[in-house]
Amino acid sequence: MSFPRCALLWARLPPGRQPGSRAAVCSALRAHTGPFPGTLGRVPAVACASSSASGGSKAPNTSLFVPLTVKPQGRSADGDVGAELTRPLDKNEVKKILDKFYKRKEIQKLSADYGLDARLFHQAFISFRNYIMQSHSLDVDIHIILNDICFSAAHVDDLFPFFLRHAKQIFPVLECKDDLRKISDLRIPPNWYPEARALQRKIIFHSGPTNSGKTYHAIQKYLSAKSGVYCGPLKLLAHEIFEKSNAAGVPCDLVTGEERVTIEPDGKQAAHVACTVEMCSVTTPYEVAVIDEIQMIKDPARGWAWTRALLGLCAEEIHLCGESAAIDLVTELMYTTGEDVEVRTYKRLTPIFVLDHALESLDNLRPGDCIVCFSKNDIYSVSRQIEIRGLESAVIYGSLPPGTKLAQARKFNDPDDPCKILVATDAVGMGLNLSVRRIIFYSLMKPSINEKGEKEIEPITTSQALQIAGRAGRFSSKFKEGEVTTMNREDLSLLKEILNRPVDPIKAAGLHPTAEQIEMFAYHLPDTTLSNLIDIFVDFSQVDGQYFVCNMDDFKFSAELIQHIPLSLRVRYVFCTAPINKKQPFVCSSLLQFARQYSRNEPLTFSWLRRYIKWPLLPPKNIKDLMDLEAVHDVLDLYLWLSYRFLDMFPDASLVRDLQKQLDGIIQDGVHNITKLIKISEAHKLLNLQNSSAESQSRLSGTVKSQTRRNHGAKALGSKAAEPLGPGAGEKSLASRLVQQGLLTADMLKQLEKEWMTQQTEHGKGRIESGTSSKGTRRKKKEPDSD
C-alpha cells in the first residue's frame, strides 16, 4: 500500500483510535513534502523571533507597500495530497476558523511585531483567506493544520506561521527590511568618493553678491592651471566659459547633458573642460575645479549635483562661488572630510539703489529697463502693452532655447538696435550678460515647489530678489549704477523689506539615490515598480542633519509613464533621469515613444525623427504655435540627451543637432515678432468668445422657432469667426478680415459683441413673454369647460 493511501486510511480513524501520534506522520510528511514554514505550536513558540524582525529603526510608511497578487492554487496533477492524508476540508468550517484567527488580539499583536501594522495585517488576511477559500488543492502542511483545527487537535493560533509566510509573499519588503535599510543608509556621503578622500584638497570659497567679481577670480585660477573643470548650473554658463577659455588660448572641451564638443581635431580630450554640474567627472584628476552657484546645493530637485561635485571632485584646489549663506554648511561638510575652507569675501563693484517710487505705468519706461515677471501670461501681456505704446521689447523666459535667449540678449544689448526694453522671467537671474539700467518687478509673487513637492505661490525669497536685482548696473555694462523698483506702488515697501532681510543660512545639502543603490533595492524587491522602489527607498533612507533627500517627483512621473514598457532596470533608470518638462504633453509622449522604440530594438533614426515631429515646421502664427515649437525643441534635446547614453539606438546626433539649429532660427524669428503673435492670439481668443456667446444665446432662445432660426444663423457666423486666422481665413470670416486689415480693433469687436448680446437677449425675452401670455389666455378660455 502506498504511503499517501496508508496515511489517508489512518487519518479517517476517529482521533482517539489512531495508532501512534500525529507527530510521527508530520515527521514523515516533512521527508515527503519538505519542511513546514515554522513550528506548529502555540503562539509563544514563534514569538521569540519577533525582536529582530522590526530592525530597530524608524517605523516604515507601510502605505508605500503595494501588495503583490498570489494566485490560488488550481488542481494538482498529483491530486490533493492533503485530502488523501486527512480528509477533504469543509470550506464553511475553514471560514469560521479564519474569522476566529483574524479577531484574535494575540495574533494582531504578534503580526505587529513582525512589521504587519493594522493596515498590512488586514490586507494580508484578506489575501490569505481568498487564497485558502479559492484554492482547489492546498499545500499539504496547511491542509493538515486546518484539518487538525477542525477536529480540535490543534489551536487556531497554529495558523500564524502559514499566515506570515503568505504575508511575506505579498509584501516581500517584510523579509528584507534590514537589508533595505543598509542599502539606503545615506548618513556618510563622503565615503562614496574614495578617490577624492585620497587627496588633501584645498577649498576656497569666493563669497559675495552678484557683480562682485567672485566668479572672475575663480575663473582666472581655472585658466592659469595645467588642468581644470568648470561646473555651472546652466548650459549657457558652460558655453560661456567654453568660449572664453578657448578665446584665451586655453584649449577647453564642452560637456552638457545634450552636447559633447572636443576642441582637439583628433578628438582627444583637452586638459580643461566646461560642463553642467550634473555632468562633472568624479574620477578624473584636475589641478583646479570651479563650482559655480554653490548655494544651489540646497535646491530641492538639483541640490544633489552640487553635493556630489563638492564631495567627489578629484582636484588639488576647489574654488566655490556663491552666496555667503552657504559658507557655514560648506565648512561643516568639509570638516567631515578633514579639509579646511578658506573664505574670500568680495563687495559689489557698482552701486545699486532701491527707488522710492514705483513705475505704476508703462508710460514711464526708459531705455535699459527690464521688467521681471513670474509667468508667461504676464510676459505676453506686458509685451503687448509695450508694443501699443510704440516701443520695442526683447523677451526672455525659461523654456526658450539657449540660442534664442542669447539672440534676445544681444538684441537688447545692441546700442544700434531700437529695442531698449527687456521683458523677462527670473531666467535673467544667472547665465546672461545684460546691459540693464533698472530692474522693475512686475510682481513679487512666484510659484514654487515646497519640500513635499506641493505647488505654492509665495513672495520671492531674499536670495531670489538679490539675484535678480543684481542684474542692474553691472560692471561690464554701460550703466555703472543700478536701480530697482516695482510696477505697483503697494509692492515697493514689501520689496524693500525682502531686500533688507538677512539671507537665511543654508542648513542641508541634497542627496540622490544612485543607479547602483536602486538596482540593489530591485534585487530584493524584483516585482516592485521603479516608482514604488523610489518611494520605499526614500522612506527607508537615513540621513543626518546636514543632508536631505532631493524631491524625486519628476523621476517618479517618468517611471510611471513608461512602467508598462519592457525595459531592463538600468535602462529604465536612465530614461527616468532624462530631463523633461512634464507640463508639455508632447515632450512626455515623446519620452514614451522613444522608450517604446528602444524596447523593440528599433533605432531612432534621423528620418524616423523627422516624420515623428512632422518636419519641416512652419513659422509660428500665434503664441500656441510658438509654444509647440518650443516643445519640439525640447524633444530634440531629449533625443540628444539619450544619444549620449544609448549611441547605438539614437545614432544620428549630429544630424539632429543641425535640425535643432534650424528650429532655433524659426523660434528666434517667432520671438522677434512676438507682439504680432500675441495680437493675433488675442483676436483669436476674442473670436472664440464671440462664438461661445452665440452658442449660449442660441440655447437660451431655443424654445421659440423663429428665434431659433435667427440664432442658428448667428451660430454659423460665430463658428466661422472662431476659425484660426491662417491663410485664407479672411475669406471665411468678415470679423477676422476686418481685424487683420486694422479696420476693426479687438476692443471694438468686444463692444459690438456686447451690444449684439444685449439686443438679442432683450428680443428673446420679449418673444418668450409673448408666448407665455398667449398660453395663459388659452388656459383661461378652457377653464369654464373644465369646471
Side-chain angles (χ1 to χ4, degrees):
M1 185 181 295
S2 67
F3 175 80
R5 180 65 179 162
C6 178
L8 178 62
L9 294 174
W10 171 86
R12 286 177 176 172
L13 292 174
R17 298 185 58 188
Q18 292 165 343
S21 66
R22 287 187 180 271
V25 177
C26 288
S27 177
L29 277 173
R30 287 190 186 96
H32 185 70
T33 64
F36 288 6
T39 306
L40 298 180
R42 295 285 190 263
V43 169
V46 292
C48 59
S50 65
S51 60
S52 61
S54 63
S57 298
K58 65 174 184 178
N61 179 8
T62 58
S63 64
L64 302 176
F65 299 171
V66 178
L68 302 179
T69 301
V70 178
K71 294 181 179 179
Q73 293 188 13
R75 299 187 184 279
S76 173
D78 297 332
D80 191 346
V81 178
E84 290 186 24
L85 292 175
T86 56
R87 67 183 181 96
L89 294 173
D90 184 341
K91 289 300 177 82
N92 291 327
E93 288 295 322
V94 170
K95 187 176 182 301
K96 292 177 182 178
I97 292 171
L98 294 174
D99 290 343
K100 183 178 179 182
F101 174 83
Y102 176 73
K103 293 175 182 177
R104 282 184 57 79
K105 298 295 183 184
E106 294 84 354
I107 293 296
Q108 295 175 19
K109 183 178 182 301
L110 185 60
S111 297
D113 291 339
Y114 277 90
L116 289 164
D117 61 11
R119 175 183 168 278
L120 296 187
F121 176 75
H122 178 75
Q123 286 184 297
F125 174 76
I126 296 298
S127 176
F128 182 60
R129 184 179 63 186
N130 291 341
Y131 172 79
I132 289 177
M133 299 301 293
Q134 296 173 14
S135 292
H136 288 285
S137 59
L138 293 170
D139 291 335
V140 177
D141 50 5
I142 193 170
H143 188 110
I144 288 177
I145 200 66
L146 285 170
N147 183 73
D148 283 356
I149 296 172
C150 289
F151 280 105
S152 300
H155 194 277
V156 68
D157 290 351
D158 293 338
L159 273 178
F160 183 78
F162 305 94
F163 167 73
L164 183 62
R165 177 177 68 183
H166 186 88
K168 289 180 178 179
Q169 284 182 282
I170 66 170
F171 296 116
V173 69
L174 297 173
E175 191 77 82
C176 53
K177 284 190 299 182
D178 292 342
D179 290 333
L180 296 181
R181 283 197 175 93
K182 290 176 183 177
I183 297 168
S184 58
D185 189 343
L186 308 178
R187 286 177 293 187
I188 315 178
N191 291 353
W192 304 348
Y193 309 103
E195 293 92 344
R197 299 292 75 79
L199 301 174
Q200 187 61 35
R201 306 178 305 171
K202 183 178 180 181
I203 313 296
I204 298 140
F205 195 121
H206 300 267
S207 169
T210 57
N211 194 30
S212 60
K214 58 183 184 298
T215 307
Y216 169 82
H217 287 89
I219 294 301
Q220 290 307 114
K221 276 285 189 179
Y222 163 82
L223 294 176
S224 63
K226 295 178 182 178
S227 63
V229 58
Y230 168 83
C231 307
L234 301 172
K235 288 184 284 186
L236 280 175
L237 285 170
H239 270 275
E240 181 183 339
I241 301 303
F242 165 72
E243 293 171 357
K244 184 179 293 186
S245 181
N246 287 300
V250 179
C252 177
D253 292 342
L254 174 70
V255 177
T256 69
E258 300 80 14
E259 192 172 9
R260 309 284 191 280
V261 179
T262 53
I263 202 65
E264 299 291 344
D266 59 356
K268 183 181 177 181
Q269 291 185 358
H272 287 70
V273 60
C275 64
T276 46
V277 66
E278 286 89 351
M279 300 305 299
C280 70
S281 168
V282 292
T283 56
T284 306
Y286 300 102
E287 184 179 343
V288 169
V290 176
I291 306 176
D292 208 355
E293 306 294 348
I294 185 62
Q295 71 275 2
M296 290 190 69
I297 200 170
K298 70 173 181 180
D299 188 271
R302 297 179 64 200
W304 63 269
W306 276 264
T307 305
R308 174 177 172 271
L310 177 63
L311 297 177
L313 280 173
C314 299
E316 297 172 22
E317 283 188 16
I318 296 184
H319 293 259
L320 312 176
C321 305
E323 298 175 1
S324 59
I327 292 176
D328 290 345
L329 176 64
V330 169
T331 303
E332 289 179 17
L333 296 183
M334 293 300 95
Y335 178 79
T336 64
T337 65
E339 296 163 331
D340 295 327
V341 179
E342 176 188 339
V343 179
R344 299 179 185 175
T345 305
Y346 303 82
K347 294 184 179 180
R348 186 177 169 87
L349 299 175
T350 56
I352 188 169
F353 305 99
V354 181
L355 301 180
D356 291 327
H357 56 275
L359 188 70
E360 297 195 64
S361 171
L362 296 177
D363 294 328
N364 299 324
L365 286 172
R366 303 197 309 258
D369 280 349
C370 172
I371 303 177
V372 177
C373 309
F374 294 113
S375 76
K376 274 190 183 180
N377 288 336
D378 287 343
I379 290 258
Y380 300 146
S381 173
V382 171
S383 300
R384 180 75 173 95
Q385 293 176 56
I386 290 174
E387 189 263 349
I388 290 172
R389 288 163 170 80
L391 301 174
E392 192 173 340
S393 64
V395 173
I396 295 174
Y397 50 86
S399 58
L400 284 177
T404 304
K405 290 177 185 173
L406 289 172
Q408 289 290 295
R410 284 193 296 266
K411 178 183 176 184
F412 173 70
N413 290 337
D414 186 354
D416 299 325
D417 196 291
C419 171
K420 300 301 179 191
I421 308 296
L422 177 63
V423 184
T425 62
D426 53 338
V428 299
M430 62 177 72
L432 291 169
N433 292 316
L434 299 167
S435 188
V436 176
R437 178 203 303 269
R438 179 170 57 173
I439 289 287
I440 302 159
F441 286 91
Y442 189 74
S443 167
L444 296 176
M445 306 301 291
K446 180 186 176 183
S448 62
I449 304 297
N450 64 19
E451 295 178 353
K452 298 179 181 179
E454 301 165 339
K455 188 173 181 179
E456 296 178 342
I457 298 181
E458 295 180 335
I460 58 175
T461 65
T462 300
S463 177
Q464 291 167 340
L466 289 171
Q467 187 84 25
I468 297 168
R471 310 310 291 180
R474 292 182 65 83
F475 182 74
S476 57
S477 75
K478 64 181 179 179
F479 302 112
K480 301 308 178 186
E481 292 184 356
E483 298 175 346
V484 184
T485 188
T486 58
M487 183 69 191
N488 302 309
R489 185 187 306 174
E490 56 270 21
D491 287 340
L492 189 55
S493 58
L494 177 58
L495 175 63
K496 291 180 179 179
E497 180 188 337
I498 291 173
L499 291 173
N500 288 328
R501 290 175 191 160
V503 178
D504 294 332
I506 299 172
K507 297 180 179 178
L511 294 174
H512 190 285
T514 64
E516 292 77 13
Q517 288 170 319
I518 298 302
E519 278 185 334
M520 292 175 71
F521 250 58
Y523 173 79
H524 289 283
L525 305 173
D527 299 315
T528 305
T529 66
L530 181 55
S531 175
N532 193 217
L533 276 177
I534 293 295
D535 281 332
I536 296 173
F537 183 97
V538 173
D539 182 60
F540 274 63
S541 62
Q542 303 171 69
V543 294
D544 63 22
Q546 296 174 328
Y547 299 97
F548 67 92
V549 180
C550 285
N551 185 298
M552 301 190 66
D553 286 350
D554 288 348
F555 184 99
K556 287 166 52 185
F557 174 84
S558 297
E560 291 166 0
L561 188 68
I562 64 173
Q563 178 56 42
H564 64 286
I565 298 177
L567 298 168
S568 69
L569 181 70
R570 180 57 71 102
V571 170
R572 189 181 302 278
Y573 182 92
V574 173
F575 268 92
C576 292
T577 55
I580 65 168
N581 184 352
K582 62 184 181 183
K583 295 179 182 177
Q584 293 180 330
F586 183 59
V587 180
C588 298
S589 64
S590 298
L591 178 70
L592 183 63
Q593 185 63 33
F594 289 178
R596 186 177 288 119
Q597 287 284 107
Y598 185 99
S599 71
R600 295 170 181 163
N601 202 30
E602 298 175 3
L604 290 90
T605 62
F606 179 65
S607 58
W608 179 91
L609 186 65
R610 280 172 58 98
R611 290 194 303 272
Y612 177 73
I613 64 174
K614 298 180 173 59
W615 188 269
L617 301 173
L618 298 175
K621 299 173 185 176
N622 52 46
I623 289 297
K624 182 182 180 301
D625 288 349
L626 179 61
M627 295 174 67
D628 289 343
L629 292 179
E630 292 168 9
V632 174
H633 193 280
D634 284 353
V635 169
L636 299 184
D637 258 350
L638 175 62
Y639 182 99
L640 294 172
W641 192 93
L642 291 167
S643 70
Y644 288 106
R645 280 80 181 168
F646 309 111
L647 183 60
D648 55 334
M649 297 301 291
F650 297 83
D652 297 327
S654 59
L655 295 173
V656 172
R657 194 174 309 285
D658 293 338
L659 193 71
Q660 192 180 49
K661 290 177 181 176
Q662 297 179 48
L663 176 58
D664 203 345
I666 296 173
I667 294 174
Q668 285 183 37
D669 292 340
V671 175
H672 181 74
N673 300 314
I674 194 166
T675 52
K676 181 180 178 182
L677 303 183
I678 295 167
K679 189 191 302 183
I680 293 173
S681 298
E682 286 178 347
H684 194 180
K685 186 177 179 181
L686 267 175
L687 294 175
N688 278 331
L689 178 63
Q690 181 190 26
N691 179 41
S692 175
S693 300
E695 291 177 351
S696 176
Q697 179 64 23
S698 175
R699 288 194 298 271
L700 176 67
S701 308
T703 55
V704 183
K705 186 176 181 180
S706 60
Q707 185 64 28
T708 302
R709 284 198 299 269
R710 290 191 188 96
N711 286 342
H712 182 72
K715 180 178 179 182
L717 175 61
S719 298
K720 290 179 181 179
E723 293 179 6
L725 299 178
E731 299 173 6
K732 300 178 182 179
S733 168
L734 174 62
S736 61
R737 188 165 67 247
L738 291 174
V739 170
Q740 283 183 324
Q741 294 173 356
L743 301 176
L744 183 66
T745 67
D747 291 337
M748 292 168 63
L749 183 62
K750 191 172 183 180
Q751 184 62 31
L752 284 172
E753 181 230 338
K754 286 182 179 178
E755 292 177 2
W756 181 82
M757 280 288 295
T758 302
Q759 180 181 358
Q760 293 298 328
T761 302
E762 291 176 353
H763 186 65
K765 285 182 178 178
R767 297 284 297 178
I768 293 171
E769 289 172 0
S770 174
T772 305
S773 176
S774 62
K775 285 181 181 179
T777 303
R778 287 195 297 273
R779 174 64 183 160
K780 286 178 181 178
K781 287 180 180 178
K782 290 180 181 180
E783 279 176 358
D785 295 335
S786 62
D787 288 338

